[in-house]
Structure formats: C-alpha cells, structure tokens
Amino acid sequence: DIQMTQSPSSLSASVGDRVTITCRASQSISTYLNWYQQKPGRAPQLLIYAASTLQSGVPSKFSGSGSGTDFTLTIGSLQPEDFATYYCHQSYTPPHTFGQGTRLEI
Amino acid sequence: QVQLQESGPGLVKPSQALSLTCTVSGGSLSSGSYYWNWIRQPAGKGLEWIGRVYMSGSTKYNPSLKSRVTISIDTSKNQFSLQLRSVTAADTAVYYCARNSYLGLVVSGGFDSWGQGTLVTVSS
C-alpha cells in the first residue's frame, strides 16, 4: 500500500493567516493527489484534485502543488469557516489511502 | 447534481454481517464515467477506503478487509451495496459512499460526491 504522511498533524493559526500543509507519498504517485476539507459531523469535501486543480465551487484561496511524492496545500487569508481537518488522498492505485489528517485550529 | 444516500441498520451484533446500500440520484450508475466507493471513518479517526465497484460489476477491495467485504451494484435501481461480514467492535464507524472519476483501470480521480454518512455501531 502507498503510505501518505501529512504534516503537521495539527496547526494553530489566526484569521487572515496563510498556512501550508504538506503530504508525502511513500512512492511516486505522479499527480494523482487530492485534498479534502472535513468539518465535524460532515462528509469530506473535495477541494483540489490532480494535485493542483481547484474543484468547481471551491474558493481560489485554496491552492495545491507538487508531483511525484511531495505535495502541498496552501490556504490563503484564513476565515473562520476554514478551521477544519484537511486530508490528502492518493488515487494513483488501489487501495486508496489517505493522510492521517491535519487539524487546523484557531 | 448527483446525490448519494446511505441506508441500512445502525446497529449490528458482533460476528454478524453489516449491510449498507447507497442510492444515487441525479446521475446514473451506468454512465461508465465513475467508480462507486465505500469509505469509513471511526469516531475521531481518519478515513479508510473499503473498496469500489464499476458499472460492469468489477470490484477492487482494500486488502485489509478483502476477505470480509463484498461490494455489488444494481444499475436498474441505481444503487450499490456493501456487505462486511464477521464484524467486530473495530468495524464501528461512520460509513460513507462516494463517487470518483474513472480515469483508467488503475488510476482514478478525487472523491467529488459523498453521501452524508451513516453511523454503524457493532455491539451486542
């Protein structure tokens, strides 16, 4: 299985800050890397697919980059609704695997 | 806009089988453009992919669960289903059905549509 390692596991930030979350795959996954936001009691929501493509309807303050094994999710100008848990996910090969999550806290 | 909705018992006894159905509306399981997946999340923990089915009935499972899992599809009802056998307390989780794009026999896209999730508790 491809292991996905996110860092940090938790992150404290303030409204207006810009933050970056990283995700590393245990082997190359090209750009088959996706990012999700999950709020308590809700299903995850796709933010970025194919490493850097913004999902329809997602604000442009979310951006993704990377290829191979190293990827980043950047969130610009944090707003209260952005405080949530973020997951990376590889869709390069089954079994699909997720990072352990990054909890973004105020 | 496609919508997915999980249904099934919220309580299952240990050693029995967990059975869930995902009903899809606003889109067809026969389209061929998507895989249909089951994903679970224990309380306070991360996401675990269980497996997927394609419109042809072709399946892929997580090896960690493969011996206990069956995912099937009924395109006439626009539903797909999960059966997980011999459950234990470790199978207690919120179970989600989700869709992702078919890009090839191996690679696929992000999970772009999800059901709301259903909590399944394994307890006697």
Side-chain angles (χ1 to χ4, degrees), chain A residues 31-36 46 48-50 55 89-92 96 98, chain B residues 33-35 37 49 52 99-104 106-112:
Chain A
T31 56
Y32 292 96
L33 190 283
N34 313 290
W35 290 98
Y36 303 84
L46 180 64
I48 302 282
Y49 64 93
Q55 173 70 354
H89 152 237
Q90 67 82 16
S91 54
Y92 180 70
H96 289 249
F98 295 85
Chain B
S33 297
Y34 300 101
Y35 287 111
N37 300 262
W49 181 76
R52 72 182 185 199
R99 177 187 86 168
N100 71 325
S101 296
Y102 173 91
L103 302 178
V106 177
V107 297
S108 56
F111 299 113
D112 63 356

PDB file of all heavy atoms in Angstrom, chain A residues 31-36 46 48-50 55 89-92 96 98, chain B residues 33-35 37 49 52 99-104 106-112:
ATOM      1  N   THR A  31       0.649  12.902 -10.278  1.00  0.00           N
ATOM      2  CA  THR A  31      -0.153  13.988  -9.702  1.00  0.00           C
ATOM      3  C   THR A  31      -1.522  13.490  -9.263  1.00  0.00           C
ATOM      4  O   THR A  31      -2.491  14.248  -9.200  1.00  0.00           O
ATOM      5  CB  THR A  31      -0.309  15.149 -10.701  1.00  0.00           C
ATOM      6  OG1 THR A  31      -0.885  14.655 -11.916  1.00  0.00           O
ATOM      7  CG2 THR A  31       1.027  15.828 -10.980  1.00  0.00           C
ATOM      8  N   TYR A  32      -1.617  12.207  -8.945  1.00  0.00           N
ATOM      9  CA  TYR A  32      -2.903  11.644  -8.502  1.00  0.00           C
ATOM     10  C   TYR A  32      -3.077  11.864  -7.003  1.00  0.00           C
ATOM     11  O   TYR A  32      -3.175  10.924  -6.201  1.00  0.00           O
ATOM     12  CB  TYR A  32      -2.992  10.164  -8.874  1.00  0.00           C
ATOM     13  CG  TYR A  32      -3.068   9.952 -10.365  1.00  0.00           C
ATOM     14  CD1 TYR A  32      -1.927   9.675 -11.106  1.00  0.00           C
ATOM     15  CD2 TYR A  32      -4.291  10.074 -11.036  1.00  0.00           C
ATOM     16  CE1 TYR A  32      -1.990   9.514 -12.481  1.00  0.00           C
ATOM     17  CE2 TYR A  32      -4.365   9.912 -12.414  1.00  0.00           C
ATOM     18  CZ  TYR A  32      -3.208   9.634 -13.121  1.00  0.00           C
ATOM     19  OH  TYR A  32      -3.273   9.479 -14.482  1.00  0.00           O
ATOM     20  N   LEU A  33      -3.117  13.141  -6.639  1.00  0.00           N
ATOM     21  CA  LEU A  33      -3.195  13.543  -5.256  1.00  0.00           C
ATOM     22  C   LEU A  33      -4.352  14.517  -5.100  1.00  0.00           C
ATOM     23  O   LEU A  33      -4.496  15.466  -5.888  1.00  0.00           O
ATOM     24  CB  LEU A  33      -1.870  14.196  -4.822  1.00  0.00           C
ATOM     25  CG  LEU A  33      -1.611  14.513  -3.338  1.00  0.00           C
ATOM     26  CD1 LEU A  33      -2.358  15.766  -2.877  1.00  0.00           C
ATOM     27  CD2 LEU A  33      -1.980  13.342  -2.439  1.00  0.00           C
ATOM     28  N   ASN A  34      -5.173  14.273  -4.097  1.00  0.00           N
ATOM     29  CA  ASN A  34      -6.379  15.066  -3.874  1.00  0.00           C
ATOM     30  C   ASN A  34      -6.405  15.559  -2.436  1.00  0.00           C
ATOM     31  O   ASN A  34      -5.849  14.930  -1.542  1.00  0.00           O
ATOM     32  CB  ASN A  34      -7.609  14.197  -4.149  1.00  0.00           C
ATOM     33  CG  ASN A  34      -7.486  13.428  -5.463  1.00  0.00           C
ATOM     34  OD1 ASN A  34      -7.535  14.016  -6.532  1.00  0.00           O
ATOM     35  ND2 ASN A  34      -7.285  12.122  -5.370  1.00  0.00           N
ATOM     36  N   TRP A  35      -7.043  16.698  -2.231  1.00  0.00           N
ATOM     37  CA  TRP A  35      -7.155  17.302  -0.901  1.00  0.00           C
ATOM     38  C   TRP A  35      -8.633  17.498  -0.542  1.00  0.00           C
ATOM     39  O   TRP A  35      -9.435  17.909  -1.387  1.00  0.00           O
ATOM     40  CB  TRP A  35      -6.464  18.666  -0.860  1.00  0.00           C
ATOM     41  CG  TRP A  35      -4.968  18.628  -0.940  1.00  0.00           C
ATOM     42  CD1 TRP A  35      -4.197  18.818  -2.062  1.00  0.00           C
ATOM     43  CD2 TRP A  35      -4.056  18.419   0.142  1.00  0.00           C
ATOM     44  NE1 TRP A  35      -2.867  18.731  -1.724  1.00  0.00           N
ATOM     45  CE2 TRP A  35      -2.755  18.489  -0.389  1.00  0.00           C
ATOM     46  CE3 TRP A  35      -4.217  18.175   1.505  1.00  0.00           C
ATOM     47  CZ2 TRP A  35      -1.612  18.343   0.405  1.00  0.00           C
ATOM     48  CZ3 TRP A  35      -3.089  18.018   2.285  1.00  0.00           C
ATOM     49  CH2 TRP A  35      -1.798  18.098   1.732  1.00  0.00           C
ATOM     50  N   TYR A  36      -8.944  17.258   0.730  1.00  0.00           N
ATOM     51  CA  TYR A  36     -10.301  17.384   1.233  1.00  0.00           C
ATOM     52  C   TYR A  36     -10.304  18.236   2.493  1.00  0.00           C
ATOM     53  O   TYR A  36      -9.345  18.240   3.262  1.00  0.00           O
ATOM     54  CB  TYR A  36     -10.895  16.011   1.583  1.00  0.00           C
ATOM     55  CG  TYR A  36     -10.902  15.048   0.433  1.00  0.00           C
ATOM     56  CD1 TYR A  36      -9.772  14.295   0.142  1.00  0.00           C
ATOM     57  CD2 TYR A  36     -12.020  14.902  -0.386  1.00  0.00           C
ATOM     58  CE1 TYR A  36      -9.750  13.433  -0.925  1.00  0.00           C
ATOM     59  CE2 TYR A  36     -12.008  14.025  -1.456  1.00  0.00           C
ATOM     60  CZ  TYR A  36     -10.867  13.294  -1.715  1.00  0.00           C
ATOM     61  OH  TYR A  36     -10.847  12.434  -2.789  1.00  0.00           O
ATOM     62  N   LEU A  46     -14.252  17.656  -1.427  1.00  0.00           N
ATOM     63  CA  LEU A  46     -13.084  17.737  -2.309  1.00  0.00           C
ATOM     64  C   LEU A  46     -12.745  19.195  -2.589  1.00  0.00           C
ATOM     65  O   LEU A  46     -13.588  19.970  -3.035  1.00  0.00           O
ATOM     66  CB  LEU A  46     -13.381  17.007  -3.615  1.00  0.00           C
ATOM     67  CG  LEU A  46     -12.260  16.983  -4.664  1.00  0.00           C
ATOM     68  CD1 LEU A  46     -11.048  16.211  -4.157  1.00  0.00           C
ATOM     69  CD2 LEU A  46     -12.769  16.361  -5.973  1.00  0.00           C
ATOM     70  N   ILE A  48      -9.199  20.075  -3.940  1.00  0.00           N
ATOM     71  CA  ILE A  48      -8.193  20.054  -5.009  1.00  0.00           C
ATOM     72  C   ILE A  48      -8.084  18.626  -5.527  1.00  0.00           C
ATOM     73  O   ILE A  48      -8.027  17.687  -4.733  1.00  0.00           O
ATOM     74  CB  ILE A  48      -6.812  20.481  -4.468  1.00  0.00           C
ATOM     75  CG1 ILE A  48      -6.835  21.876  -3.843  1.00  0.00           C
ATOM     76  CG2 ILE A  48      -5.738  20.378  -5.563  1.00  0.00           C
ATOM     77  CD1 ILE A  48      -6.821  23.016  -4.815  1.00  0.00           C
ATOM     78  N   TYR A  49      -8.050  18.454  -6.832  1.00  0.00           N
ATOM     79  CA  TYR A  49      -7.772  17.147  -7.408  1.00  0.00           C
ATOM     80  C   TYR A  49      -6.628  17.268  -8.404  1.00  0.00           C
ATOM     81  O   TYR A  49      -6.284  18.368  -8.836  1.00  0.00           O
ATOM     82  CB  TYR A  49      -9.024  16.535  -8.052  1.00  0.00           C
ATOM     83  CG  TYR A  49      -9.577  17.293  -9.250  1.00  0.00           C
ATOM     84  CD1 TYR A  49      -9.194  16.964 -10.542  1.00  0.00           C
ATOM     85  CD2 TYR A  49     -10.488  18.330  -9.072  1.00  0.00           C
ATOM     86  CE1 TYR A  49      -9.705  17.647 -11.631  1.00  0.00           C
ATOM     87  CE2 TYR A  49     -11.005  19.020 -10.158  1.00  0.00           C
ATOM     88  CZ  TYR A  49     -10.616  18.676 -11.437  1.00  0.00           C
ATOM     89  OH  TYR A  49     -11.128  19.357 -12.520  1.00  0.00           O
ATOM     90  N   ALA A  50      -6.046  16.132  -8.714  1.00  0.00           N
ATOM     91  CA  ALA A  50      -4.883  16.104  -9.611  1.00  0.00           C
ATOM     92  C   ALA A  50      -3.811  17.078  -9.139  1.00  0.00           C
ATOM     93  O   ALA A  50      -3.207  17.796  -9.943  1.00  0.00           O
ATOM     94  CB  ALA A  50      -5.305  16.394 -11.053  1.00  0.00           C
ATOM     95  N   GLN A  55     -11.364  22.213  -7.408  1.00  0.00           N
ATOM     96  CA  GLN A  55     -12.688  21.659  -7.652  1.00  0.00           C
ATOM     97  C   GLN A  55     -13.685  22.799  -7.863  1.00  0.00           C
ATOM     98  O   GLN A  55     -13.579  23.859  -7.229  1.00  0.00           O
ATOM     99  CB  GLN A  55     -13.120  20.786  -6.470  1.00  0.00           C
ATOM    100  CG  GLN A  55     -14.539  20.266  -6.508  1.00  0.00           C
ATOM    101  CD  GLN A  55     -14.796  19.219  -7.578  1.00  0.00           C
ATOM    102  OE1 GLN A  55     -13.937  18.927  -8.397  1.00  0.00           O
ATOM    103  NE2 GLN A  55     -15.980  18.627  -7.557  1.00  0.00           N
ATOM    104  N   HIS A  89      -5.116  12.488  -0.206  1.00  0.00           N
ATOM    105  CA  HIS A  89      -5.593  11.176  -0.661  1.00  0.00           C
ATOM    106  C   HIS A  89      -4.942  10.861  -1.989  1.00  0.00           C
ATOM    107  O   HIS A  89      -4.914  11.704  -2.882  1.00  0.00           O
ATOM    108  CB  HIS A  89      -7.121  11.223  -0.790  1.00  0.00           C
ATOM    109  CG  HIS A  89      -7.699  10.280  -1.820  1.00  0.00           C
ATOM    110  ND1 HIS A  89      -8.490  10.714  -2.855  1.00  0.00           N
ATOM    111  CD2 HIS A  89      -7.614   8.923  -1.947  1.00  0.00           C
ATOM    112  CE1 HIS A  89      -8.849   9.690  -3.601  1.00  0.00           C
ATOM    113  NE2 HIS A  89      -8.345   8.582  -3.062  1.00  0.00           N
ATOM    114  N   GLN A  90      -4.395   9.641  -2.117  1.00  0.00           N
ATOM    115  CA  GLN A  90      -3.828   9.242  -3.391  1.00  0.00           C
ATOM    116  C   GLN A  90      -4.796   8.338  -4.132  1.00  0.00           C
ATOM    117  O   GLN A  90      -5.353   7.408  -3.557  1.00  0.00           O
ATOM    118  CB  GLN A  90      -2.447   8.564  -3.220  1.00  0.00           C
ATOM    119  CG  GLN A  90      -2.438   7.221  -2.516  1.00  0.00           C
ATOM    120  CD  GLN A  90      -2.788   6.037  -3.417  1.00  0.00           C
ATOM    121  OE1 GLN A  90      -2.771   6.138  -4.651  1.00  0.00           O
ATOM    122  NE2 GLN A  90      -3.101   4.887  -2.813  1.00  0.00           N
ATOM    123  N   SER A  91      -5.014   8.685  -5.414  1.00  0.00           N
ATOM    124  CA  SER A  91      -5.875   7.878  -6.264  1.00  0.00           C
ATOM    125  C   SER A  91      -5.058   7.267  -7.412  1.00  0.00           C
ATOM    126  O   SER A  91      -5.594   6.991  -8.491  1.00  0.00           O
ATOM    127  CB  SER A  91      -7.035   8.724  -6.801  1.00  0.00           C
ATOM    128  OG  SER A  91      -6.563   9.889  -7.457  1.00  0.00           O
ATOM    129  N   TYR A  92      -3.767   7.071  -7.166  1.00  0.00           N
ATOM    130  CA  TYR A  92      -2.881   6.507  -8.178  1.00  0.00           C
ATOM    131  C   TYR A  92      -3.117   5.013  -8.369  1.00  0.00           C
ATOM    132  O   TYR A  92      -3.100   4.491  -9.484  1.00  0.00           O
ATOM    133  CB  TYR A  92      -1.424   6.778  -7.767  1.00  0.00           C
ATOM    134  CG  TYR A  92      -0.387   6.256  -8.717  1.00  0.00           C
ATOM    135  CD1 TYR A  92      -0.205   6.838  -9.975  1.00  0.00           C
ATOM    136  CD2 TYR A  92       0.448   5.199  -8.361  1.00  0.00           C
ATOM    137  CE1 TYR A  92       0.749   6.369 -10.846  1.00  0.00           C
ATOM    138  CE2 TYR A  92       1.410   4.720  -9.228  1.00  0.00           C
ATOM    139  CZ  TYR A  92       1.563   5.309 -10.458  1.00  0.00           C
ATOM    140  OH  TYR A  92       2.522   4.842 -11.324  1.00  0.00           O
ATOM    141  N   HIS A  96      -6.842   2.844  -2.242  1.00  0.00           N
ATOM    142  CA  HIS A  96      -6.747   4.271  -1.993  1.00  0.00           C
ATOM    143  C   HIS A  96      -6.346   4.479  -0.540  1.00  0.00           C
ATOM    144  O   HIS A  96      -6.819   3.778   0.357  1.00  0.00           O
ATOM    145  CB  HIS A  96      -8.097   4.944  -2.223  1.00  0.00           C
ATOM    146  CG  HIS A  96      -8.495   4.997  -3.653  1.00  0.00           C
ATOM    147  ND1 HIS A  96      -8.552   6.177  -4.368  1.00  0.00           N
ATOM    148  CD2 HIS A  96      -8.853   4.027  -4.518  1.00  0.00           C
ATOM    149  CE1 HIS A  96      -8.937   5.921  -5.604  1.00  0.00           C
ATOM    150  NE2 HIS A  96      -9.122   4.629  -5.718  1.00  0.00           N
ATOM    151  N   PHE A  98      -5.285   7.553   2.541  1.00  0.00           N
ATOM    152  CA  PHE A  98      -5.402   8.946   2.981  1.00  0.00           C
ATOM    153  C   PHE A  98      -4.279   9.281   3.964  1.00  0.00           C
ATOM    154  O   PHE A  98      -3.786   8.402   4.686  1.00  0.00           O
ATOM    155  CB  PHE A  98      -6.735   9.169   3.700  1.00  0.00           C
ATOM    156  CG  PHE A  98      -7.949   8.993   2.838  1.00  0.00           C
ATOM    157  CD1 PHE A  98      -8.505   7.739   2.638  1.00  0.00           C
ATOM    158  CD2 PHE A  98      -8.556  10.087   2.233  1.00  0.00           C
ATOM    159  CE1 PHE A  98      -9.639   7.567   1.852  1.00  0.00           C
ATOM    160  CE2 PHE A  98      -9.690   9.940   1.449  1.00  0.00           C
ATOM    161  CZ  PHE A  98     -10.226   8.677   1.258  1.00  0.00           C
TER     162      PHE A  98
ATOM    163  N   SER B  33     -18.544   6.637 -16.309  1.00  0.00           N
ATOM    164  CA  SER B  33     -17.548   7.686 -16.056  1.00  0.00           C
ATOM    165  C   SER B  33     -17.023   7.669 -14.626  1.00  0.00           C
ATOM    166  O   SER B  33     -16.109   8.434 -14.304  1.00  0.00           O
ATOM    167  CB  SER B  33     -18.164   9.068 -16.330  1.00  0.00           C
ATOM    168  OG  SER B  33     -18.539   9.190 -17.678  1.00  0.00           O
ATOM    169  N   TYR B  34     -17.590   6.833 -13.798  1.00  0.00           N
ATOM    170  CA  TYR B  34     -17.251   6.876 -12.377  1.00  0.00           C
ATOM    171  C   TYR B  34     -17.067   5.492 -11.764  1.00  0.00           C
ATOM    172  O   TYR B  34     -17.630   4.499 -12.221  1.00  0.00           O
ATOM    173  CB  TYR B  34     -18.365   7.598 -11.601  1.00  0.00           C
ATOM    174  CG  TYR B  34     -18.569   9.020 -12.056  1.00  0.00           C
ATOM    175  CD1 TYR B  34     -19.620   9.348 -12.913  1.00  0.00           C
ATOM    176  CD2 TYR B  34     -17.702  10.039 -11.646  1.00  0.00           C
ATOM    177  CE1 TYR B  34     -19.800  10.654 -13.345  1.00  0.00           C
ATOM    178  CE2 TYR B  34     -17.881  11.348 -12.079  1.00  0.00           C
ATOM    179  CZ  TYR B  34     -18.925  11.639 -12.924  1.00  0.00           C
ATOM    180  OH  TYR B  34     -19.089  12.926 -13.353  1.00  0.00           O
ATOM    181  N   TYR B  35     -16.271   5.482 -10.701  1.00  0.00           N
ATOM    182  CA  TYR B  35     -16.234   4.372  -9.761  1.00  0.00           C
ATOM    183  C   TYR B  35     -17.138   4.756  -8.588  1.00  0.00           C
ATOM    184  O   TYR B  35     -17.281   5.937  -8.249  1.00  0.00           O
ATOM    185  CB  TYR B  35     -14.825   4.144  -9.235  1.00  0.00           C
ATOM    186  CG  TYR B  35     -13.858   3.536 -10.212  1.00  0.00           C
ATOM    187  CD1 TYR B  35     -12.792   4.270 -10.717  1.00  0.00           C
ATOM    188  CD2 TYR B  35     -13.981   2.201 -10.597  1.00  0.00           C
ATOM    189  CE1 TYR B  35     -11.874   3.705 -11.587  1.00  0.00           C
ATOM    190  CE2 TYR B  35     -13.072   1.628 -11.474  1.00  0.00           C
ATOM    191  CZ  TYR B  35     -12.028   2.389 -11.969  1.00  0.00           C
ATOM    192  OH  TYR B  35     -11.120   1.828 -12.833  1.00  0.00           O
ATOM    193  N   ASN B  37     -17.720   4.011  -4.539  1.00  0.00           N
ATOM    194  CA  ASN B  37     -16.845   3.596  -3.451  1.00  0.00           C
ATOM    195  C   ASN B  37     -17.541   3.564  -2.094  1.00  0.00           C
ATOM    196  O   ASN B  37     -18.531   4.271  -1.875  1.00  0.00           O
ATOM    197  CB  ASN B  37     -15.692   4.589  -3.322  1.00  0.00           C
ATOM    198  CG  ASN B  37     -14.840   4.708  -4.567  1.00  0.00           C
ATOM    199  OD1 ASN B  37     -13.785   4.100  -4.686  1.00  0.00           O
ATOM    200  ND2 ASN B  37     -15.295   5.527  -5.523  1.00  0.00           N
ATOM    201  N   TRP B  49     -10.427   3.673   3.047  1.00  0.00           N
ATOM    202  CA  TRP B  49     -11.116   3.211   1.848  1.00  0.00           C
ATOM    203  C   TRP B  49     -11.404   1.733   1.973  1.00  0.00           C
ATOM    204  O   TRP B  49     -10.506   0.937   2.255  1.00  0.00           O
ATOM    205  CB  TRP B  49     -10.245   3.501   0.633  1.00  0.00           C
ATOM    206  CG  TRP B  49     -10.813   3.107  -0.695  1.00  0.00           C
ATOM    207  CD1 TRP B  49     -11.787   3.745  -1.399  1.00  0.00           C
ATOM    208  CD2 TRP B  49     -10.399   1.993  -1.499  1.00  0.00           C
ATOM    209  NE1 TRP B  49     -12.006   3.097  -2.590  1.00  0.00           N
ATOM    210  CE2 TRP B  49     -11.172   2.024  -2.678  1.00  0.00           C
ATOM    211  CE3 TRP B  49      -9.465   0.972  -1.346  1.00  0.00           C
ATOM    212  CZ2 TRP B  49     -11.041   1.077  -3.706  1.00  0.00           C
ATOM    213  CZ3 TRP B  49      -9.312   0.037  -2.355  1.00  0.00           C
ATOM    214  CH2 TRP B  49     -10.102   0.097  -3.519  1.00  0.00           C
ATOM    215  N   ARG B  52     -14.327  -0.426  -4.097  1.00  0.00           N
ATOM    216  CA  ARG B  52     -15.089   0.259  -5.140  1.00  0.00           C
ATOM    217  C   ARG B  52     -15.692  -0.750  -6.104  1.00  0.00           C
ATOM    218  O   ARG B  52     -15.248  -1.898  -6.193  1.00  0.00           O
ATOM    219  CB  ARG B  52     -14.193   1.217  -5.922  1.00  0.00           C
ATOM    220  CG  ARG B  52     -13.190   0.518  -6.850  1.00  0.00           C
ATOM    221  CD  ARG B  52     -12.301   1.496  -7.575  1.00  0.00           C
ATOM    222  NE  ARG B  52     -11.439   0.829  -8.546  1.00  0.00           N
ATOM    223  CZ  ARG B  52     -10.331   1.380  -9.048  1.00  0.00           C
ATOM    224  NH1 ARG B  52      -9.952   2.588  -8.665  1.00  0.00           N
ATOM    225  NH2 ARG B  52      -9.605   0.726  -9.940  1.00  0.00           N
ATOM    226  N   ARG B  99     -18.300   8.888  -4.877  1.00  0.00           N
ATOM    227  CA  ARG B  99     -18.046   8.704  -6.301  1.00  0.00           C
ATOM    228  C   ARG B  99     -16.687   9.307  -6.653  1.00  0.00           C
ATOM    229  O   ARG B  99     -16.303  10.359  -6.126  1.00  0.00           O
ATOM    230  CB  ARG B  99     -19.140   9.447  -7.070  1.00  0.00           C
ATOM    231  CG  ARG B  99     -19.028   9.445  -8.549  1.00  0.00           C
ATOM    232  CD  ARG B  99     -20.078  10.360  -9.179  1.00  0.00           C
ATOM    233  NE  ARG B  99     -19.640  11.727  -9.267  1.00  0.00           N
ATOM    234  CZ  ARG B  99     -20.262  12.676  -9.981  1.00  0.00           C
ATOM    235  NH1 ARG B  99     -21.363  12.368 -10.633  1.00  0.00           N
ATOM    236  NH2 ARG B  99     -19.805  13.919 -10.019  1.00  0.00           N
ATOM    237  N   ASN B 100     -15.966   8.624  -7.547  1.00  0.00           N
ATOM    238  CA  ASN B 100     -14.793   9.278  -8.122  1.00  0.00           C
ATOM    239  C   ASN B 100     -14.676   8.935  -9.592  1.00  0.00           C
ATOM    240  O   ASN B 100     -15.258   7.949 -10.060  1.00  0.00           O
ATOM    241  CB  ASN B 100     -13.505   8.982  -7.341  1.00  0.00           C
ATOM    242  CG  ASN B 100     -12.997   7.570  -7.490  1.00  0.00           C
ATOM    243  OD1 ASN B 100     -13.795   6.627  -7.602  1.00  0.00           O
ATOM    244  ND2 ASN B 100     -11.699   7.402  -7.492  1.00  0.00           N
ATOM    245  N   SER B 101     -13.958   9.752 -10.306  1.00  0.00           N
ATOM    246  CA  SER B 101     -13.900   9.631 -11.754  1.00  0.00           C
ATOM    247  C   SER B 101     -13.101   8.424 -12.194  1.00  0.00           C
ATOM    248  O   SER B 101     -12.036   8.128 -11.653  1.00  0.00           O
ATOM    249  CB  SER B 101     -13.272  10.886 -12.370  1.00  0.00           C
ATOM    250  OG  SER B 101     -14.069  12.016 -12.123  1.00  0.00           O
ATOM    251  N   TYR B 102     -13.624   7.727 -13.184  1.00  0.00           N
ATOM    252  CA  TYR B 102     -12.914   6.635 -13.836  1.00  0.00           C
ATOM    253  C   TYR B 102     -11.921   7.243 -14.814  1.00  0.00           C
ATOM    254  O   TYR B 102     -12.315   7.926 -15.756  1.00  0.00           O
ATOM    255  CB  TYR B 102     -13.916   5.749 -14.574  1.00  0.00           C
ATOM    256  CG  TYR B 102     -13.287   4.664 -15.430  1.00  0.00           C
ATOM    257  CD1 TYR B 102     -13.053   3.409 -14.894  1.00  0.00           C
ATOM    258  CD2 TYR B 102     -12.958   4.894 -16.759  1.00  0.00           C
ATOM    259  CE1 TYR B 102     -12.484   2.401 -15.667  1.00  0.00           C
ATOM    260  CE2 TYR B 102     -12.389   3.900 -17.539  1.00  0.00           C
ATOM    261  CZ  TYR B 102     -12.151   2.656 -16.987  1.00  0.00           C
ATOM    262  OH  TYR B 102     -11.583   1.674 -17.747  1.00  0.00           O
ATOM    263  N   LEU B 103     -10.635   7.038 -14.567  1.00  0.00           N
ATOM    264  CA  LEU B 103      -9.597   7.550 -15.467  1.00  0.00           C
ATOM    265  C   LEU B 103      -8.839   6.408 -16.141  1.00  0.00           C
ATOM    266  O   LEU B 103      -8.030   6.647 -17.037  1.00  0.00           O
ATOM    267  CB  LEU B 103      -8.613   8.440 -14.702  1.00  0.00           C
ATOM    268  CG  LEU B 103      -9.216   9.653 -13.982  1.00  0.00           C
ATOM    269  CD1 LEU B 103      -8.136  10.412 -13.226  1.00  0.00           C
ATOM    270  CD2 LEU B 103      -9.944  10.563 -14.962  1.00  0.00           C
ATOM    271  N   GLY B 104      -9.101   5.196 -15.706  1.00  0.00           N
ATOM    272  CA  GLY B 104      -8.397   4.043 -16.254  1.00  0.00           C
ATOM    273  C   GLY B 104      -8.628   2.852 -15.344  1.00  0.00           C
ATOM    274  O   GLY B 104      -9.339   2.946 -14.345  1.00  0.00           O
ATOM    275  N   VAL B 106      -6.650   1.521 -13.348  1.00  0.00           N
ATOM    276  CA  VAL B 106      -5.995   1.650 -12.045  1.00  0.00           C
ATOM    277  C   VAL B 106      -6.216   3.045 -11.472  1.00  0.00           C
ATOM    278  O   VAL B 106      -6.781   3.208 -10.402  1.00  0.00           O
ATOM    279  CB  VAL B 106      -4.487   1.334 -12.144  1.00  0.00           C
ATOM    280  CG1 VAL B 106      -3.822   1.543 -10.783  1.00  0.00           C
ATOM    281  CG2 VAL B 106      -4.277  -0.092 -12.621  1.00  0.00           C
ATOM    282  N   VAL B 107      -5.778   4.051 -12.200  1.00  0.00           N
ATOM    283  CA  VAL B 107      -5.857   5.411 -11.678  1.00  0.00           C
ATOM    284  C   VAL B 107      -7.292   5.921 -11.696  1.00  0.00           C
ATOM    285  O   VAL B 107      -8.133   5.460 -12.467  1.00  0.00           O
ATOM    286  CB  VAL B 107      -4.957   6.373 -12.478  1.00  0.00           C
ATOM    287  CG1 VAL B 107      -3.494   5.971 -12.335  1.00  0.00           C
ATOM    288  CG2 VAL B 107      -5.366   6.405 -13.937  1.00  0.00           C
ATOM    289  N   SER B 108      -7.561   6.863 -10.823  1.00  0.00           N
ATOM    290  CA  SER B 108      -8.877   7.467 -10.758  1.00  0.00           C
ATOM    291  C   SER B 108      -8.766   8.858 -10.158  1.00  0.00           C
ATOM    292  O   SER B 108      -7.677   9.312  -9.805  1.00  0.00           O
ATOM    293  CB  SER B 108      -9.826   6.595  -9.943  1.00  0.00           C
ATOM    294  OG  SER B 108      -9.313   6.361  -8.645  1.00  0.00           O
ATOM    295  N   GLY B 109      -9.903   9.524 -10.063  1.00  0.00           N
ATOM    296  CA  GLY B 109      -9.897  10.897  -9.594  1.00  0.00           C
ATOM    297  C   GLY B 109     -10.237  11.017  -8.127  1.00  0.00           C
ATOM    298  O   GLY B 109     -10.358  10.021  -7.405  1.00  0.00           O
ATOM    299  N   GLY B 110     -10.406  12.257  -7.687  1.00  0.00           N
ATOM    300  CA  GLY B 110     -10.788  12.511  -6.313  1.00  0.00           C
ATOM    301  C   GLY B 110     -12.245  12.154  -6.066  1.00  0.00           C
ATOM    302  O   GLY B 110     -13.046  12.052  -7.001  1.00  0.00           O
ATOM    303  N   PHE B 111     -12.585  11.982  -4.815  1.00  0.00           N
ATOM    304  CA  PHE B 111     -13.969  11.672  -4.444  1.00  0.00           C
ATOM    305  C   PHE B 111     -14.756  12.987  -4.454  1.00  0.00           C
ATOM    306  O   PHE B 111     -14.659  13.779  -3.505  1.00  0.00           O
ATOM    307  CB  PHE B 111     -14.032  11.007  -3.078  1.00  0.00           C
ATOM    308  CG  PHE B 111     -13.294   9.693  -3.010  1.00  0.00           C
ATOM    309  CD1 PHE B 111     -12.162   9.559  -2.239  1.00  0.00           C
ATOM    310  CD2 PHE B 111     -13.743   8.598  -3.737  1.00  0.00           C
ATOM    311  CE1 PHE B 111     -11.480   8.347  -2.176  1.00  0.00           C
ATOM    312  CE2 PHE B 111     -13.068   7.383  -3.690  1.00  0.00           C
ATOM    313  CZ  PHE B 111     -11.928   7.262  -2.903  1.00  0.00           C
ATOM    314  N   ASP B 112     -15.516  13.201  -5.498  1.00  0.00           N
ATOM    315  CA  ASP B 112     -16.145  14.506  -5.685  1.00  0.00           C
ATOM    316  C   ASP B 112     -17.582  14.581  -5.184  1.00  0.00           C
ATOM    317  O   ASP B 112     -18.139  15.666  -5.094  1.00  0.00           O
ATOM    318  CB  ASP B 112     -16.080  14.948  -7.147  1.00  0.00           C
ATOM    319  CG  ASP B 112     -16.843  14.033  -8.099  1.00  0.00           C
ATOM    320  OD1 ASP B 112     -17.377  13.001  -7.639  1.00  0.00           O
ATOM    321  OD2 ASP B 112     -16.884  14.341  -9.298  1.00  0.00           O
TER     322      ASP B 112
END
